[in-house]
Amino acid sequence: MITKTAVVGSGYMGGGIAQVLALAGREVVLADQSAELASANLERIIGEADDYAARGLFPADARERIESRVSAASSIEDAVADVDFIEEAVPEVLEIKHQTLARISAAARPDALIGSNTSTISIGALAEAVRHPARFLGVHFSNPATFVPGVEVIPHGTTDPGAVTRVVELLAECGKVGVPITDVTGFVLNRLQYALFSEAARLVEEGVATPEAIDLIARTTFGFRLPFFGPFAIADIAGLDVYEFCYRSLHDAYPDRFSEPGILAERVERGEKGVKSGRGFLATPPERAPELAAYRDRAYASLADLLRDLGSAPVDY
């Protein structure tokens, strides 16, 4: 079991990861460029825990739990010398990550697992700096790490499968959802996120809508569904034949930007149209459609109530 951990890079992301680990009962050692910086950031995350607890976002005893379980090290080497798992969370610059990972892997126990919080750099490229690279993988938290549940878990070509299992188990014990994926630049989260942003930016450039209007449409239409259904579930519910028709219309208008994915065309050709046919990308049978609709309706109504209670986000356009 992973009980002793270290976080190298004690800034906003690293500090949040340390809070997550500590609240899940793990010992955490923080390290940064200097002992002074690590100590200052430790004080910051303790203060944040007080604030979060006061707002009901952390347990009432969060300060005490974090204060008792998180310490600041005098160096990276001291931080990682006797722990089970290390998370690297230094700036997204290949050279900095290589230098840091080389120091971590030289000083850590050979059996210690090492994760990187990189958001876009190939794990295979980072692994070049790691001694015993079979224990190295990507462990990509989203901002803010304290509250976003999903974590991408990315092995490279020679990562020990047992390392993936142990990290996913650790994340589950921390209340997170670890999702193993293949190592590609950008992974899943950022390839989806940046694809959406690219199309949103083009719509502004073309004069179709303002940033404010696009944000409003995204939040109140397809974005409203995403907390409950991912893109494949949404497609299956709508009907894959409907998606195919829409792709044809989009391709006619924007041939360089939209074309029907092959995996969609193949399913429609086989008669796999989603929930209405009992199989699409998922395998939800038609007889469960009323149950699915009831869940959807309750989920959307609950989210609408929550948004009314929270009010508008403090964003100015």
Side-chain angles (χ1 to χ4, degrees), residues 88 93-107 114 116 121-136 156 158:
E88 168 271 305
V93 177
L94 182 61
E95 294 77 11
I96 296 174
K97 287 191 178 290
H98 269 178
Q99 292 166 8
T100 304
L101 289 167
R103 290 177 64 184
I104 289 170
S105 60
I114 303 173
S116 173
I121 301 172
S122 162
I123 303 305
L126 292 177
E128 295 170 4
V130 178
R131 295 188 189 184
H132 310 297
R135 40 80 175 268
F136 176 66
H156 62 90
T158 62

Side-chain angles (χ1 to χ4, degrees), residues 70-142:
V70 185
S71 60
S74 60
S75 68
I76 290 173
E77 287 75 12
D78 285 347
V80 306
D82 187 30
V83 300
D84 308 310
F85 171 73
I86 302 124
E87 176 78 343
E88 168 271 305
V90 301
E92 192 77 350
V93 177
L94 182 61
E95 294 77 11
I96 296 174
K97 287 191 178 290
H98 269 178
Q99 292 166 8
T100 304
L101 289 167
R103 290 177 64 184
I104 289 170
S105 60
R109 299 192 323 247
D111 65 331
L113 300 179
I114 303 173
S116 173
N117 194 54
T118 182
S119 56
T120 56
I121 301 172
S122 162
I123 303 305
L126 292 177
E128 295 170 4
V130 178
R131 295 188 189 184
H132 310 297
R135 40 80 175 268
F136 176 66
L137 67 170
V139 185
H140 178 214
F141 288 78
S142 293

Side-chain angles (χ1 to χ4, degrees), residues 38 46 155 168:
I46 291 170
V168 170

Side-chain angles (χ1 to χ4, degrees), residues 22 34 38 44 50 75 85 94 117 131 134 141 167 188 195 210 256 265 294:
S34 67
R44 175 181 58 79
D50 260 342
S75 68
F85 171 73
L94 182 61
N117 194 54
R131 295 188 189 184
F141 288 78
V167 167
V188 172
T210 64
D256 297 333

Side-chain angles (χ1 to χ4, degrees), residues 1-5 26 84-85 113 166-167 170 173:
M1 181 179 175
I2 294 171
T3 57
K4 296 180 178 180
T5 66
R26 271 55 183 183
D84 308 310
F85 171 73
L113 300 179
R166 291 179 66 197
V167 167
L170 171 66
E173 291 160 4

